[in-house]
Amino acid sequence: VLRAPEATTRVAALIGDPVAHSVSPAMHNAAFDALGVDWVYTAFRVAPGDAAAAVAAVRALGLAGLSVTMPHKRAVALAVDSLGAVAGRLGVANTVAWSRARPGELVGESTDGPGFLEALHDEGFSVEGRNVVVLGSGGAARAVTDAASEAGAGSVTVVGRDPARSASCAALGGSVAKSLVADDEAALEEALKAGDLVVNATSVGMSDPHLVPMDLPSGWFRSGQLVMDLIYHPATTQLMRVAEAGGASAVNGLSMLVHQARRQVECWTGLIPPVEVMRDAAEAAISRRNSETM
Ligand SMILES: NC(=O)c1ccc[n+]([C@@H]2O[C@H](COP(=O)([O-])OP(=O)(O)OC[C@H]3O[C@@H](n4cnc5c(N)ncnc54)[C@H](OP(=O)(O)O)[C@@H]3O)[C@@H](O)[C@H]2O)c1
């Protein structure tokens, strides 16, 4: 239970559309409580096209920072004063914070890629020199491709439905990255079998829990391979089941969610909150959401 906000309480918030089912308020408020800071986190539904107005509201209201989700990541990157290194490469921001070096300036950053690498670290997996296969070519795929290549992956293969979007995603990975289209079955089989890490960055398996992205069969997975599904709800996706049936290890996207959120708290407060507290809060919020929808 949160303490009541007072006149001096700092306010951070999520902007997006929709935001009603977000677990971010639970995670961030748990982090602020654990840190013992007088901060509170809420969510604002901001209509498409209103992201720049929301960034102006940060200035006008003196908000402490923003998390940014769909459909505003690109528009927010254009509305802030400057971008951090990752957000600059990706051209999108999931975080808005006040600059420490330049008071009064708002900085956009992207914490998804660093959160992804930290989630892998939790699994004892380093991408350095390894073959990474990224399923999908949207925003999450772009963050993962950038992070994996920056962290020294041996190869990054982006598998998408749309050749132009997949190539644009792979371009973020530089010389180690290439793209292929999902309906090139032979190339997909070869890439998957050679993959040390397979990342599902499509939304397939979330609202249709029985679906596997690109209909990948279990025979294309193998032991010694890690599969990370960025989906965290359901906690076990059909892709994870299929990958495990083929001998691979599989994890969902909850750790990445928690780590990207932890980095946001660090951007805003300069303090590092305990990851376990945030993970517990996220899990509790997801199970509350499940019981509400049952
Ligand atoms: N764990 C975390 O912290 C975290 C962070 C970010 C995102 N995510 C998750 O990652 C997923 C993607 O998010 P996003 O922001 O990247 O969304 P997005 O930008 O909308 O991208 C979605 C991707 O899924 C692909 N896709 C959709 N339906 C497909 C199908 N039937 N077959 C093959 N590909 C299909 C799209 O392909 P096209 O490009 O061809 O349309 C696109 O590449 C979501 O499930 C999201 O919840 C998790």
Side-chain angles (χ1 to χ4, degrees):
V1 178
L2 293 172
R3 69 234 163 272
E6 299 190 33
T8 49
T9 301
R10 310 283 335 259
V11 179
L14 169 68
I15 62 165
D17 189 10
V19 292
H21 293 292
S22 172
V23 301
S24 293
M27 274 193 297
H28 284 108
N29 284 310
F32 295 153
D33 278 352
L35 290 171
V37 295
D38 183 19
W39 285 54
V40 69
Y41 184 100
T42 187
F44 294 118
R45 184 174 164 206
V46 172
D50 282 347
V55 172
V58 172
R59 300 182 207 276
L61 299 174
L63 298 184
L66 293 180
S67 308
V68 183
T69 188
M70 292 216 306
H72 300 311
K73 291 182 177 183
R74 174 84 186 131
V76 162
L78 297 171
V80 292
D81 300 307
S82 62
L83 295 175
V86 183
R89 289 196 300 271
L90 298 175
V92 296
N94 77 340
T95 309
V96 176
W98 291 101
S99 167
R100 288 204 188 83
R102 298 173 303 282
E105 284 194 19
L106 288 175
V107 183
E109 197 38 288
S110 179
T111 62
D112 280 336
F116 160 73
L117 293 176
E118 282 163 349
L120 287 177
H121 185 261
D122 283 354
E123 299 302 318
F125 188 96
S126 162
V127 296
E128 205 174 336
R130 313 297 286 277
N131 297 324
V132 181
V133 179
V134 181
L135 309 175
S137 52
R142 294 174 69 86
V144 163
T145 299
D146 174 71
S149 57
E150 281 288 311
S155 74
V156 180
T157 306
V158 176
V159 187
R161 294 187 293 193
D162 180 90
R165 247 196 314 276
S166 307
S168 159
C169 180
L172 287 164
S175 59
V176 298
K178 64 172 197 265
S179 64
L180 58 91
V181 278
D183 52 17
D184 184 347
E185 265 202 31
L188 178 53
E189 177 178 359
E190 191 186 336
L192 211 78
K193 287 181 170 170
D196 301 305
L197 171 69
V198 179
V199 181
N200 178 30
T202 77
S203 44
V204 179
M206 192 160 52
S207 46
D208 296 303
H210 56 286
L211 291 185
V212 175
M214 292 143 201
D215 290 325
L216 300 173
S218 60
W220 291 6
F221 295 92
R222 58 172 170 81
S223 68
Q225 193 176 46
L226 177 65
V227 174
M228 179 176 280
D229 199 325
L230 300 193
I231 293 171
Y232 48 87
H233 186 240
T236 307
T237 61
Q238 192 60 19
L239 170 66
M240 290 166 64
R241 289 193 190 94
V242 164
E244 282 172 346
S249 307
V251 290
N252 68 20
L254 188 70
S255 271
M256 172 171 163
L257 181 80
V258 171
H259 280 293
Q260 64 78 29
R262 183 193 64 73
R263 282 186 167 254
Q264 294 187 322
V265 174
E266 193 183 351
C267 282
W268 302 324
T269 66
L271 304 170
I272 300 174
V275 168
E276 282 316 316
V277 168
M278 297 182 74
R279 188 188 310 271
D280 290 350
E283 280 172 349
I286 291 168
S287 54
R288 271 199 305 280
R289 197 165 91 183
N290 283 343
S291 56
E292 281 162 13
T293 52
M294 270 164 69

